Structure formats: structure tokens, C-alpha cells
Amino acid sequence: MQKALGIILIAGIAVYLAACLGLFLVQRSLIYFPPSAAALGGPALSTLDAPGARLQISERPLAGRQAVIYFGGNAEDVSAGLPSLALAFPEHALYLLHYRGFAGSSGKPDEAALVADALLLFDRVAARHPTIVLIGRSLGSGVAVQVASRRPVARLVLVTPFDSLQGLAAKQFPWFPISLLLKDKYESWRYAPGIKAPTLLLAAQQDEIVPAASTERLLRRFAPGVAALRVLPGVGHNSIADSPAYLPALEGRLD
């Protein structure tokens, strides 16, 4: 009997370890869902050469000091957001990054590469437009926070942000040692204290993906007076842009 129980225990451990290995190997396919094609060509397209990838940028060119750089979610076709951003920022040049591996961009996405690509884009834009508003949505909030902690940003907007992807993953997979398995942790809470730019955290009241507690924990990591939280009622994680208050909030209007 004891021998049989021992065999069952060993078999159970083997299955669990195999599941851990499987999760480790496929984890990035569970984080990144690249769209195969862009919905809109945009007023202009440009490319940005980065180590190991050529990136596509959807643009609305405009002369002047002001620009917006936008980092989207983990399955977002950023080109689809061009019309609304153009309405919200009529006097800003717009630059929307297609992550590596996403529509129009080569390479494979991972946290270190996406952040490095974002910094590369920021530096190119800053050479033309010294006043930059940085917007990051969902996964893009994790990218934007890291950029804003390293570069001079005029204003930072984080849409449906989380304090760490590791925390979200741990809730999704409570039986696995996520802290040991996860490669791309997007620990925004680590970078928030170093941000000096005025920051808005824009949350969805009915967010089914990012718990309110995660956004609130991130808010508390900013220095006093730097960040504010606004919750848009009646919308979810993927429908927040449908709120009539969404574009005014991006602009910085609170009415």
C-alpha cells in the first residue's frame, strides 16, 4: 500500500513539474497576442531599426514642439486608435508603436526588448518634439512607466494599469510558482517612485482583468502629488475607450 502511495506521489510530482515546465515554455504566447495586420495605414508609416527587429510606427505627422507616444495592450492593433487620438490631441504629432512581432514589425516580443524599443522611439521623437505626452494602455502601461522613469516626459497617462504582471499572473495560476517561472514581470511598482511627470491612472470601474486593488497599489508607489487616479464608470478593461469621458481624460480635462 505504501509503495503504491509512493508511486502515486512521485507520478503526481512528475505531472506537476511537467506542467510547470510547459507553462514556462509557452508563457509568452499567453502574454502577447499580436494582430496579424493593421486596421489602418495611418496618415504616415515609418520604420525604426532596433536590435533584432524592424519596427513599424503609425504616425500623424505635425510640426511643433508637442507629441504623443502611445503604447498599446497585449493584443492591440494600435493603428485603430489613431482617429480617437487625433481628436484628443489635434495639436500634437502622434506616434504609435507596433511592438516587435505585431502587425508590420519583425522580431519577437519580450519585456526587455519592448522597453528598449520604446526608449529608442522616445529618443527619436524627442529630437523633433521636446514636449512629449506618454500614453500606455494595459500592457503598454508597464512599458510607459519604465520609459517615464528614464526619460523627461511632460505628462504620463496610464490606462487600465497594474502594479505588476506577476501579481496578475499569480491570481490566474495560483498553483504555480509564478515568481520563479515568469520571465516578463512588468513590475511597474518598481519604477513609479522615480517618475516626476504629472501622471494620470485611468481605470475602468468594471475591469474584469486588472483588479482595482492592483491599480491602487500602483498609485501608492508614486511620490506624493505626482499621480492621480480616475475611475470611469460603466466600462470594462477592453471597453474603456467607449466611455464619453475617455478622450477628455486623455487630454487632461476632468469635466
Side-chain angles (χ1 to χ4, degrees):
M1 184 66 165
Q2 287 183 338
K3 184 177 180 181
L5 288 175
I7 292 173
I8 292 172
L9 178 61
I10 292 171
I13 292 173
V15 169
Y16 177 73
L17 291 176
C20 287
L21 177 61
L23 184 60
F24 178 78
L25 293 175
V26 305
Q27 60 181 279
R28 284 187 172 133
S29 68
L30 301 176
I31 297 173
Y32 307 102
F33 301 93
S36 58
L40 300 174
L45 291 173
S46 67
T47 57
L48 181 65
D49 288 324
R54 171 163 285 189
L55 310 173
Q56 181 168 290
I57 315 298
S58 289
E59 301 184 5
R60 196 275 302 275
L62 200 63
R65 295 180 56 83
Q66 301 179 106
V68 171
I69 300 176
Y70 179 85
F71 305 122
N74 69 332
E76 185 176 352
D77 168 20
V78 293
S79 72
L82 263 172
S84 59
L85 287 173
L87 287 174
F89 298 95
E91 298 180 355
H92 290 65
L94 304 177
Y95 300 88
L96 290 72
L97 175 64
H98 295 248
Y99 298 138
R100 55 177 63 207
F102 283 52
S105 296
S106 62
K108 294 183 179 180
D110 64 70
E111 180 180 3
L114 264 57
V115 172
D117 295 344
L119 290 167
L120 199 61
L121 175 60
F122 184 95
D123 292 342
R124 187 173 84 172
V125 172
R128 308 173 188 173
H129 313 281
T131 303
I132 296 176
V133 176
L134 211 58
I135 302 175
R137 180 172 177 175
S138 192
L139 181 80
S141 70
V143 176
V145 163
Q146 295 190 47
V147 174
S149 71
R150 303 178 195 180
R151 295 293 189 269
V153 175
R155 191 163 72 89
L156 176 64
V157 182
L158 304 175
V159 181
T160 58
F162 48 80
D163 63 331
S164 81
L165 185 62
Q166 177 177 306
L168 299 184
K171 289 185 177 297
Q172 284 287 106
F173 302 96
W175 300 108
F176 293 94
I178 292 299
S179 63
L180 300 177
L181 297 176
L182 193 63
K183 299 176 183 177
D184 298 345
K185 299 184 178 183
Y186 289 98
E187 294 177 312
S188 293
W189 61 269
R190 289 188 181 274
Y191 303 96
I195 294 174
K196 297 179 174 60
T199 299
L200 173 67
L201 280 65
L202 197 56
Q205 183 187 44
Q206 298 171 3
D207 198 316
E208 66 281 14
I209 294 175
V210 178
S214 178
T215 303
E216 290 164 1
R217 283 194 297 269
L218 177 59
L219 176 67
R220 292 194 293 269
R221 297 294 298 189
F222 285 87
V226 168
L229 171 64
R230 185 174 183 193
V231 180
L232 300 188
V235 290
H237 187 85
N238 294 315
S239 62
I240 189 170
D242 297 335
S243 169
Y246 179 71
L247 292 185
L250 292 186
E251 295 175 72
R253 293 192 287 116
L254 299 181
D255 51 314

